[in-house]
């Protein structure tokens, strides 16, 4: 229920601090309850693989390290601290200890924002048998968000849970329609997994006659969500909608070869996106048609790299981008709108987290690729394996989308990302037992 609440109520992100605070406090209580139950012997957890523990631990340690006070002479020698150090020295405060983060309170907010995702991890690793229920929560949230989007499109604006970032762009459960795309893509993939399990008799309570309608029903659901992705107006939708639909149908219909080929095509899409959006290839007609000519995020690339060079390799601290970029932004680009994020999560993590942040990102991408390949090499797949394969595809969409946006900084998407990582990387005893039985 907590995971479903994150999906349904977390779409407002940092723009809705009250909702965010409720989710964070609830997550903290849930984490305390689960850990207490484990210590008292009332609950058991499947231990995640070491690679996943290293990733989560690295994220926590990186954020914590940015809050540790450093001696003033060490802090003032870090890149990008010259002006602040001079001001503190002039004020007679040069003996103060200062943390790496230029805005410790903002970094602390980022740390608290990780609590819902951490709670979802504990819920997911507790019992792998509950994964289908968690996947169904994603499907339900996707359906609700798509239906809300339909109502918003026909002019029923009061059904929007938040004030939309763009009043004329329906976004379902979200403020930003770009984040809606990620939820709908994951919902399509998990719907395909559930359909596959229904078709092969994984749910004995479902009548055989009803199973015949599973694939047509899944196809209709995928088609509906695909239409909503396109209608969202998100330019990311143009790149993602067709691959997402193919992946969802292929996993539902057990077309595993098509699933693998589509995954490979998605991986090859990454350099194409970088070339198109960031100018390695001169495509003025395409950028004009896509409305990118006057996009602030595209025009600010030079300023973004200047900001990176200013604070690298230590970083400015998580949650500080809004402030540090305004110091670096060219006066020619200053208007009544501004970038609150870099719209490239990799670049923003490098600016805020420095070289260690970059190492964490590379490590995260590496384990996603490693476990995705591992899942695809299985000759016999169980229910948990197929959920892991769908998770790999959904994580790939998020990784690609992060090249041009910041999806995982939203409560809903970060909680979903945590679930996807657990499903992809964790070993299920039930799955191992079923594979052994199949070999015999």
């Amino acid at each position: 229920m907590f995971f479903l609440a994150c999906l349904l109520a977390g779409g407002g992100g940092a723009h809705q601090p009250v909702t965010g605070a409720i989710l964070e406090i609830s997550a903290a209580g849930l984490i305390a309850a689960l850990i207490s139950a484990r210590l008292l012997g009332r609950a058991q957890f499947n231990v995640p693989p070491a690679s996943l523990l290293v990733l989560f631990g690295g994220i926590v340690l990186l954020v914590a390290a940015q809050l540790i006070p450093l001696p003033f002479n060490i802090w003032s020698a870090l890149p990008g601290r010259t002006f602040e150090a001079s001001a503190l020295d002039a004020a007679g405060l040069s003996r103060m200890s200062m943390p790496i983060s230029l805005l410790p309170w903002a970094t602390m907010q980022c740390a608290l924002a990780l609590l819902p995702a951490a709670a979802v991890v504990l819920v997911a690793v507790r019992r792998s048998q509950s994964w289908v229920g968690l996947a169904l929560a994603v499907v339900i949230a996707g359906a609700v968000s798509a239906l809300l989007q339909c109502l918003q499109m026909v002019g029923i604006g009061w059904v929007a849970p938040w004030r939309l970032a763009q009043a004329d762009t329906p976004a379902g459960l979200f403020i930003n329609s770009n984040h809606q795309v990620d939820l709908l893509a994951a919902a399509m993939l998990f719907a395909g997994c559930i359909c596959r399990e229904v078709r092969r008799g994984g749910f004995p309570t479902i009548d055989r006659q009803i199973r015949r309608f599973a694939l047509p029903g899944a196809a209709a659901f995928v088609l509906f969500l695909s239409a909503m992705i396109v209608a969202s107006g998100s330019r990311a939708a143009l790149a993602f909608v067709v691959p997402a639909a193919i992946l969802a149908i292929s996993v539902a219909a057990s077309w595993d070869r098509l699933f693998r080929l589509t995954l490979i095509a998605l991986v090859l899409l990454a350099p194409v996106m970088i070339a198109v959006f960031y100018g390695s290839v001169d495509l003025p007609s395409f950028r004009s048609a896509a409305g990118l000519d006057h996009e602030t995020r595209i025009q600010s690339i030079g300023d973004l790299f200047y900001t990176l060079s200013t604070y690298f390799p230590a970083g400015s601290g998580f949650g500080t981008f809004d402030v540090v970029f305004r110091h670096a932004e060219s006066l020619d680009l200053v208007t009544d709108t501004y970038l609150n994020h870099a719209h490239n999560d990799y670049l923003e993590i490098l600016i805020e987290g420095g070289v260690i942040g970059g190492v964490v990102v590379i490590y995260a991408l590496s384990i996603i690729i490693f476990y995705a390949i591992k899942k695809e090499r299985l000759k016999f797949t169980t229910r948990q394996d197929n959920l892991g394969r769908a998770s790999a595809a959904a994580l790939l969409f998020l990784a690609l989308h992060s090249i041009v946006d910041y999806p995982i900084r939203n409560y809903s998407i970060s909680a979903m990302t945590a679930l996807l990582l657990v499903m992809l990387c964790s070993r299920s005893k039930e799955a191992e037992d079923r594979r052994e039985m199949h070999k015999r």
Side-chain angles (χ1 to χ4, degrees), residues 295-354:
E295 275 275 347
T296 305
R297 73 181 83 179
I298 303 299
Q299 296 173 339
S300 300
I301 292 300
D303 292 342
L304 289 170
F305 278 101
Y306 174 77
T307 307
L308 174 61
S309 66
T310 300
Y311 295 98
F312 197 81
S316 61
F318 288 107
T320 63
F321 174 84
D322 190 1
V323 173
V324 299
F325 180 71
R326 296 196 196 194
H327 289 287
E329 188 177 16
S330 300
L331 293 178
D332 294 340
L333 298 178
V334 174
T335 62
D336 56 347
T337 61
Y338 64 94
L339 288 181
N340 61 333
H341 288 287
H343 290 269
N344 180 323
D345 242 351
Y346 303 105
L347 193 54
E348 186 165 342
I349 289 173
L350 284 173
I351 291 171
E352 296 182 334

Side-chain angles (χ1 to χ4, degrees), residues 334-389:
V334 174
T335 62
D336 56 347
T337 61
Y338 64 94
L339 288 181
N340 61 333
H341 288 287
H343 290 269
N344 180 323
D345 242 351
Y346 303 105
L347 193 54
E348 186 165 342
I349 289 173
L350 284 173
I351 291 171
E352 296 182 334
V355 66
I356 300 179
V359 170
V360 171
V361 169
I362 293 172
Y363 180 74
L365 294 175
S366 299
I367 64 172
I368 290 172
I369 293 171
F370 172 79
Y371 282 103
I373 294 174
K374 188 176 180 180
K375 294 289 185 186
E376 292 304 320
R377 293 180 63 184
L378 294 173
K379 294 182 180 179
F380 174 77
T381 56
T382 65
R383 177 187 304 178
Q384 285 81 3
D385 294 327
N386 287 318
L387 288 171
R389 295 171 68 218

Side-chain angles (χ1 to χ4, degrees), residues 2-24:
F2 174 77
F3 177 59
L4 183 59
C6 287
L7 294 177
L8 295 177
H15 297 280
Q16 300 297 325
V18 174
T19 305
I22 292 173
L23 289 176
E24 290 168 6

Side-chain angles (χ1 to χ4, degrees), residues 193-249:
C193 285
I194 294 172
C195 170
R196 181 176 182 145
E197 196 62 24
V198 170
R199 291 178 64 237
R200 69 180 186 182
F203 301 101
T205 56
I206 298 179
D207 187 80
R208 182 175 298 180
Q209 297 299 322
I210 299 177
R211 294 177 198 166
R212 296 186 303 170
F213 299 98
L215 186 57
F221 183 73
V222 168
L223 183 62
F224 170 60
L225 293 194
S226 298
M228 292 301 99
I229 288 177
V230 174
S232 70
S234 168
R235 283 182 288 262
L238 301 178
F240 296 160
V241 62
V242 174
I246 293 174
L247 287 167
I249 295 299

